[in-house]
Amino acid sequence: MDEKLFFKKLNNLCTSKDVFYFLSSLEAMSDTMAAGALQRISEVEVDDNGLKNPALLENEVFRVLCFQFEFESSKLSNTGLLKALQALVKLRIDPQSMLMTSLISESQERLGRGRLAAEHLCSLGESLLELEGPSCATLEQIVNHMQERDFRRWSPREIAMVYRILQVTVREGKQCQNLLNRLNSVTFHRVSQLSPNFTSVILNSLVVLRQTRAVLLVTALCKHSVKHVPYFTDHELVNVLEAFLYFGQNLQVFTEALEKHIPESILTMHPQTISKVMHYCCKKMILSKPIFDAVAEGFISNADRLTTDQIAAYIIPFGTLNYLPPSASSLFRKLEGVLHTRLRHFQSHTLLNLLHSCVLIQRYPINFLPKIFSPYFLQKLQAQPPGLNRAVMSQLTQLFLTVTLECPFYEGPKLLSKYQVKACPMLHSSPDVHLFKRVKTGLLYLLKKRIYFASEVSTPYFYVVDIEIKLDEEGLVLPAAQVEEVHRRIALCVDGQNRFCAHSHNLLGEEAIKQRHLQLLGYEVVQIPFFEIESLENTRKMADYLHKKIFPCTYGLSD
């Protein structure tokens, strides 16, 4: 039969039984046709769980095909040899069998003689990766042969395979950087042809190979990935998200694609993929209400099937980005139920991070705080990395401050003073230097003298106030150094973009709790957000704005 007609008929067959019946009707076929038949059998009979019907390996037609490949390997074409090897690897044929040994030996011999073209090098590399993993010595030999080839005519599949092989043989890419530079350059011009799988594979390889200088290629791949978001498998999407994080890519259209895809797929998506999506949003400070609302609903439905790390990954971003979804009451009721039944299964640092994130959004884990403040739990925290470092002790201190200020009815154990810190090293707490300078200049213009306000004031209560102004009983401004007759304290919070979610006016959780606690500690909190003052053109306008904001009762009155 003509090969073109053979493959047309073969590709329309959907079971191994149909393939065997079709093959038995033929008088003869080439080795490439026989290899194609094996590939078709592997396509219809192998899924993510392996071989659907192991009995097919005993089929007479299948055994005859294998017999010919085993005893006539030296007579096979390169295409027939390597396609057969690929198919048999996928069918999980024993690597130690005479059949597989014969095919691998013949492939390695041809590789040594330099008789394999680009597509054959890639096929052999793929098979050996599946069979022997990254430790296979022949993979380096394949890489050496690739050094001599021109990639410009290679197919997207072959390019992706080269990246996969380099990823496991080279790791950081230093030994083969010249080869990678050529490959990166060729790939850049082929990005539009890449499938979802190849896009994900190449991005993952660029991360592993630390190709931080391949900026044009990475940017093109990330933009290209946007249209593939609905079609990525869970594993592929995780690779793409990791690449966006590693290379610092920020694309609003990518977020929009996720916002459309995640709510539609939340009930079928693997929990680890959802965890990675939430980790991505948290790291990028992206408060996406469609994603967070969908994840909240997914948690309510599936929390009992999640691991403790996945539970934390789902919930912590809500606190970090200071967001309560519409289903908040059901969400935290479900979380409380899960904690009651599985509390002892949580790693100590994971539990602390989880409960700390809850208080950021005024969800108080009162029933679990006695455990957190117990000497036994604190010893466990100290014994496990990162131990009781300053960040961990800050979380403990903030938890204790929260129950003291916001939960006066709490009567459980207190946090011992040796575990408390005096000042809070919050991740995004440092004021924006440029913004801070403009506000201080405006205040100086308004108050006339620098002695009337203090900046970056450490309070006895854990928090650092950006700017503090003291007033007496009549509302007159006192020198900042004065400690007597202070009737009111005003805390100016100079909130730059780093204290808000990305592209949003929503304060991050750590800043929201700080301002809430300062109020409870007796401060009058005045927020100076970047979006209110960035358009003020000069110092006079800044002073006018600050006057209206800090002293609204006297604003507009004549001197």
Side-chain angles (χ1 to χ4, degrees), residues 479-491:
Q482 186 166 327
V483 292
E484 297 175 351
E485 300 180 2
V486 177
H487 186 68
R488 292 162 57 198
R489 293 175 187 267
I490 297 174

Side-chain angles (χ1 to χ4, degrees), residues 114-130:
R115 289 180 53 192
L116 299 182
E119 63 177 306
H120 305 133
L121 288 172
C122 292
S123 293
L124 179 58
E126 188 171 18
S127 297
L128 292 175
L129 265 177
E130 290 295 323

Side-chain angles (χ1 to χ4, degrees), residues 334-508:
K334 185 68 178 180
L335 175 61
E336 186 170 12
V338 170
L339 287 173
H340 271 299
T341 56
R342 299 172 64 186
L343 191 69
R344 61 190 177 88
H345 298 138
F346 280 84
Q347 290 287 320
S348 53
H349 286 280
T350 304
L351 182 61
L352 176 61
N353 289 334
L354 177 59
L355 298 185
H356 177 259
S357 72
C358 291
V359 302
L360 297 179
I361 42 178
Q362 296 177 276
R363 290 298 181 269
Y364 309 111
I366 296 298
N367 295 327
F368 309 106
L369 288 179
K371 176 182 175 71
I372 297 294
F373 296 149
S374 72
Y376 173 70
F377 183 81
L378 294 169
Q379 286 170 7
K380 281 178 67 179
L381 278 176
Q382 190 157 18
Q384 296 172 4
L388 281 173
N389 63 18
R390 190 165 177 78
V392 172
M393 289 177 68
S394 292
Q395 287 182 312
L396 289 167
T397 305
Q398 199 163 44
L399 270 175
F400 179 61
L401 195 58
T402 298
V403 294
T404 303
L405 294 173
E406 301 185 60
C407 308
F409 49 85
Y410 172 73
E411 296 179 350
K414 309 295 184 186
L415 181 67
L416 296 175
S417 58
K418 69 177 181 178
Y419 295 111
Q420 298 179 34
V421 293
K422 301 296 184 187
C424 168
M426 292 190 294
L427 185 62
H428 302 96
S429 62
S430 299
D432 179 307
V433 176
H434 176 66
L435 203 66
F436 203 48
K437 186 177 179 181
R438 287 189 64 207
V439 171
K440 288 196 291 184
T441 303
L443 267 180
L444 185 59
Y445 187 94
L446 175 65
L447 301 177
K448 310 304 181 191
K449 290 185 179 180
R450 181 65 178 82
I451 62 168
Y452 290 119
F453 64 92
S455 56
E456 298 185 270
V457 179
S458 295
T459 70
Y461 312 106
F462 179 66
Y463 297 109
V464 174
V465 174
D466 292 339
I467 295 174
E468 184 184 59
I469 298 173
K470 298 174 181 177
L471 306 179
D472 66 11
E473 195 168 356
E474 295 179 3
L476 298 175
V477 179
L478 297 170
Q482 186 166 327
V483 292
E484 297 175 351
E485 300 180 2
V486 177
H487 186 68
R488 292 162 57 198
R489 293 175 187 267
I490 297 174
L492 297 192
C493 295
V494 184
D495 295 330
Q497 289 185 352
N498 60 325
R499 293 182 180 177
F500 291 87
C501 300
H503 313 296
S504 166
H505 294 172
N506 194 77
L507 272 177
L508 294 172

Side-chain angles (χ1 to χ4, degrees), residues 230-278:
Y231 311 108
F232 284 128
T233 64
D234 281 3
H235 177 68
E236 289 165 359
L237 181 57
V238 166
N239 283 344
V240 171
L241 290 168
E242 286 176 345
F244 266 78
L245 287 170
Y246 181 79
F247 292 112
Q249 289 287 313
N250 289 295
L251 287 176
Q252 182 61 28
V253 286
F254 182 72
T255 302
E256 290 167 3
L258 288 175
E259 287 178 336
K260 188 172 187 303
H261 175 61
I262 303 299
E264 293 173 355
S265 313
I266 196 74
L267 297 179
T268 56
M269 191 172 278
H270 193 282
Q272 203 57 40
T273 309
I274 298 170
S275 299
K276 180 59 71 173
V277 170
M278 292 301 277

Side-chain angles (χ1 to χ4, degrees), residues 136-154:
C136 175
T138 309
L139 288 172
E140 288 196 26
Q141 199 178 346
I142 292 172
V143 171
N144 290 335
H145 280 278
M146 287 175 173
Q147 298 263 27
E148 304 160 9
R149 305 301 169 93
D150 184 353
F151 297 127
R152 285 175 294 183
R153 295 177 182 270
W154 287 29

